Amino acid sequence: MTVSLSPITEQFGAVVSGVDLGRPLTPDEVAAIDSGMDQYAVLVFNGQDLTDEQQVAFSKNFGEMENKTGGNIRTEERVNQHINDVSNLDNNNKPFDRNDRRRFFNLGNHLWHSDSSFRATPAKYSLLSARSIPSEGGNTEFADMRQAYDALDDKTKAKIEGLVCEHSQIYSRGKLGFTFNEEEIGLMKPVRQAFVRVHPKSGRKSLYLSSHAGRVLGWPDPEARLFLLNLLEHGTQRQFVYAHKWQLHDLVMWDNRQTMHRARDFDETQKRDMRRTTVAGEAMTVEQAAA
Ligand code: OGA
Ligand code: MN
């Protein structure tokens, strides 16, 4: 079998075939996937019925696993220690009640974001595996922040060059009225991120937006928030978006440095068991002074 890619749009997203992610990959297969990520930023693999261990082993081809400490309010685990549980299920595999705080936290994933932009060194790749899906809805949408950057006018490009934002889950979840206790706040101190990122291989620039962004350094807060909202609207126009309709055992892999994503609505009395592995980033986007 050889890895082959069929592009979803010319620049953004591709479906990968000819590879079984449940077994060790050859260096050529890893290289083909890596270069596909550089080019398309989102890759879809169908029919990959993986265990947590197989998902972790596949993910490790692309770097170290991110340490998930401080990423979620959930304390007990339903899944492997390297997996982020983004399901709607409690430890008895039952959908959360409507008023469950863990459900409220997960609703934050329905806001456009880039994974772990609230960490000093934010995530490189995320890999999401569909172990159980609802009968309808629950798509994941991806927005191409490279095309979004390219489409900005020169004045805006000049304005954002060199700007730094503060990101924290307090800002993102706060938008939904979610509140954290003191211990959680201690784990969610804002970090600094560049507004514009440059891809290390392609050299392409992208808008580094995320719901976690709450402030622009040196700017008054209302002006910063309005600016971020306007750019969010710009960057998520339909021509920049790929909506993934899940099939059971799909695995979708995306580059958080070049994209945003969000979950869409579904009937939450049904099970949606999605499990994410996260490949750690290789560098901070700006130096971290005391944010
Ligand atoms: C994630 C995420 C969206 C979804 O796993 O990081 O945001 O559709 N998931 O579950
Ligand atoms: Mn996410």
Side-chain angles (χ1 to χ4, degrees), residues 250-270:
D250 280 351
L251 181 133
V252 178
M253 178 171 178
W254 64 88
D255 186 341
N256 289 294
R257 303 167 302 181
Q258 317 194 70
T259 62
M260 280 202 293
H261 61 281
R262 66 171 175 180
R264 300 301 273 161
D265 209 21
F266 63 101
D267 172 358
E268 290 182 57
T269 63
Q270 296 186 22

mmCIF file of all heavy atoms in Angstrom, residues 250-270:
data_model
loop_
_atom_site.group_PDB
_atom_site.id
_atom_site.type_symbol
_atom_site.label_atom_id
_atom_site.label_comp_id
_atom_site.label_asym_id
_atom_site.label_seq_id
_atom_site.Cartn_x
_atom_site.Cartn_y
_atom_site.Cartn_z
ATOM 1 N N ASP A 250 -13.459 7.383 11.882
ATOM 2 C CA ASP A 250 -12.606 8.383 11.221
ATOM 3 C C ASP A 250 -11.548 8.845 12.214
ATOM 4 O O ASP A 250 -11.808 8.935 13.426
ATOM 5 C CB ASP A 250 -13.411 9.650 10.860
ATOM 6 C CG ASP A 250 -14.232 9.503 9.590
ATOM 7 O OD1 ASP A 250 -14.062 8.495 8.892
ATOM 8 O OD2 ASP A 250 -15.045 10.414 9.333
ATOM 9 N N LEU A 251 -10.382 9.182 11.704
ATOM 10 C CA LEU A 251 -9.396 9.941 12.479
ATOM 11 C C LEU A 251 -9.068 11.187 11.665
ATOM 12 O O LEU A 251 -8.786 11.085 10.470
ATOM 13 C CB LEU A 251 -8.131 9.128 12.767
ATOM 14 C CG LEU A 251 -7.098 9.909 13.602
ATOM 15 C CD1 LEU A 251 -6.561 9.082 14.764
ATOM 16 C CD2 LEU A 251 -5.958 10.441 12.745
ATOM 17 N N VAL A 252 -9.190 12.342 12.309
ATOM 18 C CA VAL A 252 -8.850 13.594 11.633
ATOM 19 C C VAL A 252 -7.703 14.238 12.393
ATOM 20 O O VAL A 252 -7.688 14.277 13.628
ATOM 21 C CB VAL A 252 -10.066 14.551 11.548
ATOM 22 C CG1 VAL A 252 -9.671 15.871 10.886
ATOM 23 C CG2 VAL A 252 -11.204 13.899 10.774
ATOM 24 N N MET A 253 -6.751 14.675 11.624
ATOM 25 C CA MET A 253 -5.520 15.234 12.183
ATOM 26 C C MET A 253 -5.392 16.662 11.661
ATOM 27 O O MET A 253 -5.626 16.899 10.479
ATOM 28 C CB MET A 253 -4.400 14.351 11.630
ATOM 29 C CG MET A 253 -3.020 14.678 11.984
ATOM 30 S SD MET A 253 -2.018 13.270 11.373
ATOM 31 C CE MET A 253 -0.410 13.882 11.837
ATOM 32 N N TRP A 254 -5.084 17.625 12.552
ATOM 33 C CA TRP A 254 -4.967 19.019 12.071
ATOM 34 C C TRP A 254 -3.768 19.705 12.695
ATOM 35 O O TRP A 254 -3.275 19.314 13.750
ATOM 36 C CB TRP A 254 -6.250 19.796 12.332
ATOM 37 C CG TRP A 254 -6.638 19.994 13.768
ATOM 38 C CD1 TRP A 254 -6.258 21.011 14.600
ATOM 39 C CD2 TRP A 254 -7.526 19.160 14.546
ATOM 40 N NE1 TRP A 254 -6.851 20.870 15.835
ATOM 41 C CE2 TRP A 254 -7.630 19.739 15.831
ATOM 42 C CE3 TRP A 254 -8.240 17.977 14.290
ATOM 43 C CZ2 TRP A 254 -8.415 19.181 16.847
ATOM 44 C CZ3 TRP A 254 -9.005 17.422 15.305
ATOM 45 C CH2 TRP A 254 -9.087 18.031 16.554
ATOM 46 N N ASP A 255 -3.334 20.748 11.998
ATOM 47 C CA ASP A 255 -2.191 21.539 12.439
ATOM 48 C C ASP A 255 -2.721 22.790 13.140
ATOM 49 O O ASP A 255 -3.269 23.688 12.493
ATOM 50 C CB ASP A 255 -1.335 21.915 11.226
ATOM 51 C CG ASP A 255 -0.039 22.606 11.621
ATOM 52 O OD1 ASP A 255 0.053 23.122 12.758
ATOM 53 O OD2 ASP A 255 0.888 22.638 10.788
ATOM 54 N N ASN A 256 -2.555 22.829 14.462
ATOM 55 C CA ASN A 256 -3.077 23.956 15.247
ATOM 56 C C ASN A 256 -2.352 25.262 14.961
ATOM 57 O O ASN A 256 -2.839 26.325 15.334
ATOM 58 C CB ASN A 256 -2.974 23.638 16.743
ATOM 59 C CG ASN A 256 -3.963 22.588 17.168
ATOM 60 O OD1 ASN A 256 -5.171 22.808 17.139
ATOM 61 N ND2 ASN A 256 -3.456 21.412 17.533
ATOM 62 N N ARG A 257 -1.205 25.183 14.323
ATOM 63 C CA ARG A 257 -0.452 26.396 14.013
ATOM 64 C C ARG A 257 -1.040 27.128 12.816
ATOM 65 O O ARG A 257 -0.747 28.292 12.594
ATOM 66 C CB ARG A 257 1.016 26.031 13.726
ATOM 67 C CG ARG A 257 1.663 25.283 14.891
ATOM 68 C CD ARG A 257 2.989 24.667 14.483
ATOM 69 N NE ARG A 257 2.833 23.750 13.354
ATOM 70 C CZ ARG A 257 3.813 23.058 12.802
ATOM 71 N NH1 ARG A 257 5.057 23.193 13.275
ATOM 72 N NH2 ARG A 257 3.590 22.244 11.786
ATOM 73 N N GLN A 258 -1.870 26.413 12.032
ATOM 74 C CA GLN A 258 -2.361 26.975 10.774
ATOM 75 C C GLN A 258 -3.879 26.997 10.668
ATOM 76 O O GLN A 258 -4.416 27.444 9.646
ATOM 77 C CB GLN A 258 -1.855 26.141 9.581
ATOM 78 C CG GLN A 258 -0.400 25.723 9.667
ATOM 79 C CD GLN A 258 0.105 25.221 8.327
ATOM 80 O OE1 GLN A 258 0.259 26.000 7.387
ATOM 81 N NE2 GLN A 258 0.338 23.942 8.204
ATOM 82 N N THR A 259 -4.556 26.489 11.693
ATOM 83 C CA THR A 259 -6.022 26.333 11.602
ATOM 84 C C THR A 259 -6.714 26.678 12.921
ATOM 85 O O THR A 259 -6.077 26.719 13.964
ATOM 86 C CB THR A 259 -6.398 24.863 11.289
ATOM 87 O OG1 THR A 259 -5.944 24.043 12.378
ATOM 88 C CG2 THR A 259 -5.777 24.376 10.000
ATOM 89 N N MET A 260 -8.008 26.895 12.833
ATOM 90 C CA MET A 260 -8.883 26.855 14.013
ATOM 91 C C MET A 260 -9.922 25.774 13.748
ATOM 92 O O MET A 260 -10.142 25.369 12.614
ATOM 93 C CB MET A 260 -9.630 28.186 14.189
ATOM 94 C CG MET A 260 -8.803 29.270 14.837
ATOM 95 S SD MET A 260 -9.868 30.542 15.581
ATOM 96 C CE MET A 260 -10.597 31.252 14.113
ATOM 97 N N HIS A 261 -10.597 25.369 14.818
ATOM 98 C CA HIS A 261 -11.674 24.392 14.655
ATOM 99 C C HIS A 261 -12.723 24.612 15.730
ATOM 100 O O HIS A 261 -12.478 25.307 16.714
ATOM 101 C CB HIS A 261 -11.129 22.959 14.740
ATOM 102 C CG HIS A 261 -10.471 22.643 16.054
ATOM 103 N ND1 HIS A 261 -9.189 23.043 16.356
ATOM 104 C CD2 HIS A 261 -10.927 22.010 17.158
ATOM 105 C CE1 HIS A 261 -8.881 22.642 17.573
ATOM 106 N NE2 HIS A 261 -9.913 22.017 18.098
ATOM 107 N N ARG A 262 -13.893 24.011 15.505
ATOM 108 C CA ARG A 262 -14.944 24.026 16.524
ATOM 109 C C ARG A 262 -15.853 22.823 16.333
ATOM 110 O O ARG A 262 -16.016 22.315 15.220
ATOM 111 C CB ARG A 262 -15.784 25.309 16.440
ATOM 112 C CG ARG A 262 -16.587 25.438 15.174
ATOM 113 C CD ARG A 262 -17.559 26.606 15.234
ATOM 114 N NE ARG A 262 -18.229 26.772 13.942
ATOM 115 C CZ ARG A 262 -19.128 27.717 13.702
ATOM 116 N NH1 ARG A 262 -19.472 28.561 14.660
ATOM 117 N NH2 ARG A 262 -19.690 27.805 12.518
ATOM 118 N N ALA A 263 -16.462 22.380 17.432
ATOM 119 C CA ALA A 263 -17.465 21.310 17.374
ATOM 120 C C ALA A 263 -18.819 21.950 17.110
ATOM 121 O O ALA A 263 -19.054 23.098 17.462
ATOM 122 C CB ALA A 263 -17.507 20.561 18.696
ATOM 123 N N ARG A 264 -19.705 21.203 16.466
ATOM 124 C CA ARG A 264 -21.067 21.668 16.202
ATOM 125 C C ARG A 264 -22.069 20.860 17.012
ATOM 126 O O ARG A 264 -21.786 19.745 17.474
ATOM 127 C CB ARG A 264 -21.387 21.578 14.700
ATOM 128 C CG ARG A 264 -20.457 22.410 13.821
ATOM 129 C CD ARG A 264 -20.494 23.886 14.172
ATOM 130 N NE ARG A 264 -21.543 24.566 13.463
ATOM 131 C CZ ARG A 264 -22.050 25.759 13.828
ATOM 132 N NH1 ARG A 264 -21.622 26.351 14.918
ATOM 133 N NH2 ARG A 264 -22.982 26.326 13.107
ATOM 134 N N ASP A 265 -23.239 21.437 17.126
ATOM 135 C CA ASP A 265 -24.328 20.918 17.915
ATOM 136 C C ASP A 265 -24.772 19.488 17.537
ATOM 137 O O ASP A 265 -24.698 19.112 16.375
ATOM 138 C CB ASP A 265 -25.488 21.873 17.617
ATOM 139 C CG ASP A 265 -26.429 21.977 18.768
ATOM 140 O OD1 ASP A 265 -26.026 21.658 19.889
ATOM 141 O OD2 ASP A 265 -27.592 22.352 18.513
ATOM 142 N N PHE A 266 -25.228 18.741 18.520
ATOM 143 C CA PHE A 266 -25.826 17.420 18.262
ATOM 144 C C PHE A 266 -26.752 17.096 19.432
ATOM 145 O O PHE A 266 -26.770 17.823 20.427
ATOM 146 C CB PHE A 266 -24.732 16.355 18.096
ATOM 147 C CG PHE A 266 -23.891 16.136 19.343
ATOM 148 C CD1 PHE A 266 -24.118 15.047 20.174
ATOM 149 C CD2 PHE A 266 -22.888 17.035 19.686
ATOM 150 C CE1 PHE A 266 -23.352 14.850 21.312
ATOM 151 C CE2 PHE A 266 -22.127 16.848 20.834
ATOM 152 C CZ PHE A 266 -22.358 15.752 21.648
ATOM 153 N N ASP A 267 -27.485 16.010 19.309
ATOM 154 C CA ASP A 267 -28.397 15.590 20.380
ATOM 155 C C ASP A 267 -27.556 14.963 21.491
ATOM 156 O O ASP A 267 -27.068 13.842 21.356
ATOM 157 C CB ASP A 267 -29.395 14.579 19.793
ATOM 158 C CG ASP A 267 -30.271 13.938 20.862
ATOM 159 O OD1 ASP A 267 -30.096 14.244 22.069
ATOM 160 O OD2 ASP A 267 -31.123 13.110 20.482
ATOM 161 N N GLU A 268 -27.414 15.688 22.578
ATOM 162 C CA GLU A 268 -26.480 15.251 23.629
ATOM 163 C C GLU A 268 -27.017 14.140 24.528
ATOM 164 O O GLU A 268 -26.351 13.747 25.482
ATOM 165 C CB GLU A 268 -26.032 16.455 24.467
ATOM 166 C CG GLU A 268 -25.123 17.382 23.671
ATOM 167 C CD GLU A 268 -24.627 18.558 24.507
ATOM 168 O OE1 GLU A 268 -24.003 18.316 25.557
ATOM 169 O OE2 GLU A 268 -24.884 19.704 24.111
ATOM 170 N N THR A 269 -28.212 13.613 24.211
ATOM 171 C CA THR A 269 -28.636 12.402 24.915
ATOM 172 C C THR A 269 -28.005 11.182 24.232
ATOM 173 O O THR A 269 -28.052 10.070 24.736
ATOM 174 C CB THR A 269 -30.171 12.238 24.928
ATOM 175 O OG1 THR A 269 -30.632 12.080 23.574
ATOM 176 C CG2 THR A 269 -30.853 13.446 25.569
ATOM 177 N N GLN A 270 -27.438 11.411 23.030
ATOM 178 C CA GLN A 270 -26.736 10.328 22.337
ATOM 179 C C GLN A 270 -25.245 10.387 22.651
ATOM 180 O O GLN A 270 -24.726 11.445 23.006
ATOM 181 C CB GLN A 270 -26.932 10.467 20.821
ATOM 182 C CG GLN A 270 -28.384 10.317 20.400
ATOM 183 C CD GLN A 270 -28.518 10.325 18.880
ATOM 184 O OE1 GLN A 270 -27.581 10.052 18.147
ATOM 185 N NE2 GLN A 270 -29.712 10.632 18.416
#
